[in-house]
Each structure stands twice: as structure tokens, then as C-alpha cells.
């Protein structure tokens, strides 16, 4: 048995090495020359062949949502490639439905520009811009979450975004990475102060961008962001609002709370926020204060592992316990959930079992 496992590891190791070798050889030896990318039958881009379609577009200031930075794991970079894209790769198929495959939808980070291409890009993506920013302030909110306050330098009006949307932060190559990397971070600040943005960033073990932010980034440093992106924002309706978050998932919900206050939205709003202990309750006082400023807002934090020193008298357990306990069957709610995949999916399953339909559940998954 052990021998079989060792052989399998050896075979997959050789396969991975061979793939890496072919990739490196391809990038050094192959010369694809110039290629044309015809966009929406209108715009003709001339690019140097050999790079992924996603980065070729970005180099020409066409920004496609790509929260994972082109690693092929977020599936947000989908575009229609009508000609020249070559066969669909095994790295794409898990993310493409049968209908998408029939409609020539591809992951633009996986399609390499080897010849002329014909593609389609939704018009709204042309509004996404790149901005130079300075890091004004870095504050420790908890042991593993920092608040990063940015100022946009390159544009007087700043960035126009809907509360709930995210930007992509690009950090330079450093000792943990082979090239500059970017990832998605939701905007926590109010959309009024659009030259000043706040992001809340959790440190992920061995994570390329979050480690840079936590251990290398300095106040005064200049970086680049692009955006805004995403469809996670308050819908126009008169339904009650349920907000659910854990950790830095609070970021877009803070921005939405500022919007509810600024626009005097009178809808009954509840926030379920899950943390481990009292010291993980970031922005507790600030969120609690919304109860005095909004006409009908309730903040319900819950702790999954309160310590004795916490002397916690509030709700205990995970945010899913609060759904079980407080959300009645078929409640007329619109729900906005943000945080880890596991948390979002558990909440979604439970809400559906309670009769809340898919159209009334909105989320951003942070992995
Ligand atoms: C729409 C959207 C909005 C987001 N907003 C925020 C935000 O406001 N604040 C924030 O902190 N993050 C946010 N994220 C997550 C963020 O984009 C990065 O995925 C995260 O910072 C990890 O990036 P990294 O480069 O440090 O790790 P990577 O180098 O990408 O990953 C390193 C390893 O960690 C694993 N991993 C990646 N992400 C996580 C995670 N969240 N938890 C546990 N393991 C992980 C990976 O599978 C990999 O094995 C958001 C993601 C999306 C899709
Ligand atoms: S950029 Fe994330 S899958 Fe393509």
C-alpha cells in the first residue's frame, strides 16, 4: 500500500515538474509575435503574444474582475472568447457550466494569447480604472486584521463605488513572490469620502498579498489599486435587511451601514457578527453606535470561543446559531453575507431551508 502511495506521489510529482518545465520553456523559447485582440467587434488591440488574455487586457488598461490575481481559483474573470482561444483547459472546466461552455465563455486568466482573438467584454467593465494610492495609516484592529487607510493620488474625484463593492490591491514583488500580485479587498469606508478608502485585511498563513500587507507594507508607501468591482450592494426594495459577517467580512457591511445612515434608508436592519473572543470583535463600539444613529438597527454579535476573562453575557456560538434562533420561516428578508466560503455556504443553506429564496441572498466569499 505504502509503495503504491509513494509511486502515485512520484508520478504526480514528475507530471507537475514536466508541466512546469513546459511552461518555462514556452515562456522563454516560444515567440508568438504580435497578435490582434478584437473586442466587441469594435476595438482592435495589438499585443505581444505569449501572455494570458487577462494580463494582456490589463496592460492595455482594460480591467477584468480577477480577485485571485489570475491563479484560476476565483472564476470571476469569465469572458466570451469567440475565436482563437484554443481548447478549453482542464483548469477551466470545473468553473464553467454546460451553458457557459456552449456560449464560448472562458476564464481569461487561463487563455493564452497565441494568435489573433475575438472576444466580448461587458460594457460596464470599461469604467473600471487604475489608481495610484498612498498608504496613509495602518492600524491593528485584532491579532490578525489590520485597517489600511489609503488616499487616491492620481485622481481629484477619487473612485466612485457602490457601498459593498471591492477593489483589487496590487503589491510589488517581494521575497515571498516571483512577481507583483493583486487580490480583492472590499471597501469598508463610506462611498462619500471617495479619495480616502479603508480596507480591512486579514492575515492568511503564507498568503502572498496579506503577508505583504501585514509584515512589509509601510505608512507613506505608494501602491496601485483598480476597481470598483462586484455586485454585492444594497438592492432597491422595502424588505427588511439581514447582514451577516465574520472577521474582515465586516468591511463591505460597514460601508453599507454608512449608506443606510447617509441615505436615511428606513428599512429594519439587523447585523449578525461572528467572532471567536471579545478581542476579535473589531469595531464593536463603532457598530454598536449605529444603533443610536439608524432608525431601526440591531447589532447582534456572537462569540464562538469566549474566554473566562471575556465575561461575555451576549450570544454564544456561530452566526448560524443566530439564524436558527431568530430567523422565522419564510421571513420577508433580503440577506447580505460576507466572509469565508464555509461560513457563507452554511448560512446560505440554512436560510434556504428557512424558506428564503436564492434571489434574496447576496454574498461575497473571501477565498
Ligand atoms: C470579492 C472578494 C472580496 C474580498 N474582500 C476581502 C477583504 O475585505 N478582506 C480580506 O482580508 N480578504 C478579502 N478577500 C480575500 C482576499 O482577496 C485574498 O483571497 C486573501 O487576502 C488571501 O490572499 P493572499 O494573497 O494573502 O493568499 P494567497 O497567496 O492567495 O493564498 C495562500 C493560501 O491560503 C489559502 N487562502 C486564501 N485565502 C484564504 C482565506 N481567506 N482564508 C483561509 N485560507 C485562504 C489559499 O487557498 C492558499 O492555499 C476578498 C475576496 C473576494 C473574492
Ligand atoms: S482571475 Fe481568478 S480565476 Fe481567473
Amino acid at each position: 500500500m505504502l509503495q503504491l502511495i509513494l509511486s502515485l506521489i512520484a508520478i504526480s510529482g514528475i507530471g507537475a515538474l514536466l508541466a512546469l518545465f513546459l511552461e518555462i520553456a514556452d515562456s522563454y523559447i516560444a515567440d508568438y509575435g504580435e497578435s490582434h485582440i478584437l473586442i466587441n467587434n469594435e476595438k482592435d488591440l495589438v499585443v505581444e503574444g505569449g501572455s494570458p488574455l487577462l494580463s494582456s487586457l490589463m496592460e492595455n488598461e482594460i480591467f477584468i474582475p480577477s480577485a485571485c490575481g489570475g491563479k484560476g481559483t476565483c472564476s470571476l474573470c469569465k469572458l466570451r472568447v469567440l475565436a482563437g482561444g484554443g481548447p478549453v483547459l482542464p483548469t477551466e472546466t470545473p468553473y464553467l457550466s454546460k451553458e457557459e461552455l456552449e456560449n464560448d465563455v472562458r476564464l481569461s486568466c487561463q487563455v493564452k494569447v497565441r494568435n489573433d482573438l475575438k472576444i466580448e467584454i461587458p460594457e460596464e467593465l470599461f469604467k473600471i480604472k487604475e489608481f495610484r494610492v498612498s498608504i496613509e495609516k495602518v492600524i491593528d484592529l485584532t491579532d490578525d486584521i489590520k485597517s489600511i487607510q489609503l488616499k487616491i493620488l492620481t485622481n481629484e474625484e477619487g473612485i466612485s463605488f457602490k457601498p459593498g463593492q471591492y477593489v483589487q490591491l496590487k503589491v510589488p514583488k517581494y521575497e515571498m513572490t516571483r512577481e507583483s500580485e493583486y487580490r480583492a479587498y472590499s471597501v469598508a469606508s463610506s462611498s462619500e469620502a471617495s479619495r480616502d478608502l479603508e480596507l480591512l485585511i486579514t492575515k492568511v498563513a503564507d498568503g502572498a498579498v496579506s503577508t505583504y500587507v501585514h509584515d512589509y507594507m509601510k505608512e507613506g508607501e505608494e501602491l496601485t489599486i483598480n476597481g470598483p468591482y462586484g455586485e454585492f450592494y444594497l438592492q432597491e426594495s422595502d424588505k427588511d435587511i439581514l447582514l451577516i459577517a465574520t472577521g474582515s467580512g465586516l468591511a463591505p457591511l460597514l460601508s453599507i451601514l454608512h449608506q443606510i445612515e447617509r441615505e436615511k434608508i428606513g428599512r429594519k436592519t439587523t447585523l449578525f457578527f461572528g467572532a471567536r473572543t471579545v478581542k476579535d470583535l473589531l469595531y464593536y463600539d463603532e457598530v454598536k453606535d449605529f444603533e443610536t444613529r439608524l432608525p431601526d438597527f440591531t447589532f447582534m454579535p456572537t462569540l464562538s470561543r469566549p474566554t473566562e476573562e471575556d465575561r461575555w453575557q451576549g450570544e454564544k456560538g456561530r452566526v448560524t446559531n443566530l439564524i436558527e434562533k431568530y430567523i422565522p420561516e419564510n421571513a420577508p428578508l433580503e440577506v447580505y453575507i460576507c466572509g469565508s466560503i464555509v461560513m457563507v455556504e452554511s448560512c446560505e443553506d440554512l436560510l434556504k431551508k428557512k424558506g428564503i429564496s436564492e434571489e434574496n441572498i447576496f454574498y461575497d466569499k473571501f477565498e
Side-chain angles (χ1 to χ4, degrees):
M1 185 64 181
L2 181 66
Q3 212 167 12
L4 180 68
I5 293 171
L6 288 174
S7 316
L8 283 174
I9 292 173
I11 291 167
S12 49
I14 292 168
L17 274 175
L18 202 59
L20 183 67
F21 173 75
L22 288 174
E23 185 66 25
I24 292 170
D26 187 55
S27 61
Y28 282 101
I29 301 165
D31 178 8
Y32 296 103
E34 281 186 346
S35 296
H36 288 255
I37 305 178
L38 180 63
I39 303 170
N40 298 353
N41 265 332
E42 273 176 8
K43 192 175 165 64
D44 185 23
L45 279 188
V46 183
V47 303
E48 202 54 45
S51 299
L53 173 58
L54 176 72
S55 36
S56 301
L57 293 172
M58 280 194 166
E59 274 158 27
N60 285 281
E61 307 211 328
I62 299 173
F63 300 101
I64 310 297
S66 42
C68 71
K71 290 192 298 178
T73 55
C74 70
S75 79
L76 293 174
C77 63
K78 289 175 184 175
L79 289 182
R80 286 188 78 206
V81 179
L82 305 171
V88 176
L89 301 177
T91 46
E92 297 174 81
T93 41
Y95 302 102
L96 299 172
S97 66
K98 190 167 166 279
E99 204 186 344
E100 285 174 328
L101 287 166
E102 282 165 9
N103 280 295
D104 305 310
V105 175
R106 305 285 303 269
L107 294 189
S108 60
C109 67
Q110 301 298 304
V111 175
K112 219 169 196 183
V113 181
R114 298 177 201 271
N115 40 252
D116 292 350
L117 291 171
K118 198 173 164 196
I119 67 173
E120 253 180 38
I121 299 182
E123 285 299 322
E124 67 269 16
L125 294 186
F126 294 111
K127 293 186 197 135
I128 295 167
K129 299 263 176 308
E130 187 162 68
F131 305 87
R132 200 75 189 143
V133 295
S134 70
I135 308 301
E136 299 288 297
K137 220 169 195 179
V138 180
I139 304 167
D140 286 312
L141 295 179
T142 69
D143 288 348
D144 63 353
I145 302 179
K146 282 186 194 287
S147 154
I148 312 297
Q149 295 174 18
L150 316 169
K151 185 169 278 303
I152 291 185
L153 301 172
T154 41
N155 178 327
E156 284 288 310
E157 300 86 55
I159 180 170
S160 162
F161 66 95
K162 292 186 184 164
Q165 286 193 301
Y166 67 94
V167 295
Q168 295 182 170
L169 173 71
K170 187 169 166 189
V171 303
K173 172 180 176 305
Y174 70 110
E175 59 190 277
M176 270 186 63
T177 57
R178 285 195 295 161
E179 55 196 343
S180 61
E181 294 270 356
Y182 60 90
R183 299 285 184 273
Y185 295 103
S186 309
V187 181
S189 40
S190 154
S191 65
E192 259 182 349
S194 57
R195 267 192 87 188
D196 298 301
L197 297 184
E198 181 183 14
L199 311 177
L200 308 182
I201 302 191
T202 305
K203 182 164 182 178
V204 169
D206 299 324
V209 173
S210 63
T211 302
Y212 181 86
V213 166
H214 275 255
D215 300 346
Y216 294 78
M217 201 173 77
K218 300 271 180 302
E219 286 178 0
E221 182 174 346
E222 289 188 17
L223 295 174
T224 302
I225 61 166
N226 53 57
Y229 296 95
E231 277 146 36
F232 184 75
Y233 46 75
L234 208 55
Q235 306 296 303
E236 273 188 32
S237 98
D238 49 14
K239 291 198 176 71
D240 292 350
I241 300 167
L242 173 62
L243 308 171
I244 307 177
T246 51
S248 51
L250 185 63
L253 305 187
L254 278 175
S255 191
I256 289 175
L257 286 173
H258 284 295
Q259 176 192 13
I260 293 175
E261 182 180 26
R262 192 177 53 252
E263 295 177 10
K264 299 186 175 33
I265 295 171
R267 295 162 64 184
K268 179 178 160 62
T269 304
T270 307
L271 168 60
F272 290 168
F273 182 63
R276 273 162 302 187
T277 65
V278 163
K279 67 180 170 51
D280 300 307
L281 283 174
L282 60 148
Y283 281 148
Y284 178 87
D285 292 335
E286 288 78 356
V287 179
K288 192 79 191 145
D289 195 51
F290 276 109
E291 288 187 329
T292 62
R293 287 158 33 207
L294 302 184
D296 193 353
F297 172 63
T298 311
F299 176 36
M300 294 183 71
T302 180
L303 298 186
S304 58
R305 281 184 246 155
T307 62
E308 276 195 18
E309 303 88 80
D310 284 343
R311 298 179 194 286
W312 180 249
Q313 300 294 319
E315 296 288 342
K316 292 186 186 133
R318 297 179 185 279
V319 280
T320 41
N321 294 12
L322 299 185
I323 300 178
E324 292 273 21
K325 202 164 151 187
Y326 294 105
I327 302 302
E329 301 277 324
N330 302 314
L333 283 175
E334 227 169 54
V335 191
Y336 297 83
I337 321 170
C338 203
S340 72
I341 292 184
V342 176
M343 185 281 281
V344 172
E345 290 180 353
S346 318
C347 290
E348 200 190 356
D349 285 350
L350 203 51
L351 289 161
K352 282 187 191 158
K353 281 190 194 135
K354 293 249 180 193
I356 295 171
S357 64
E358 216 165 327
E359 308 87 76
N360 290 314
I361 306 176
F362 305 87
Y363 51 77
D364 259 351
K365 297 177 184 172
F366 275 15
E367 276 168 50

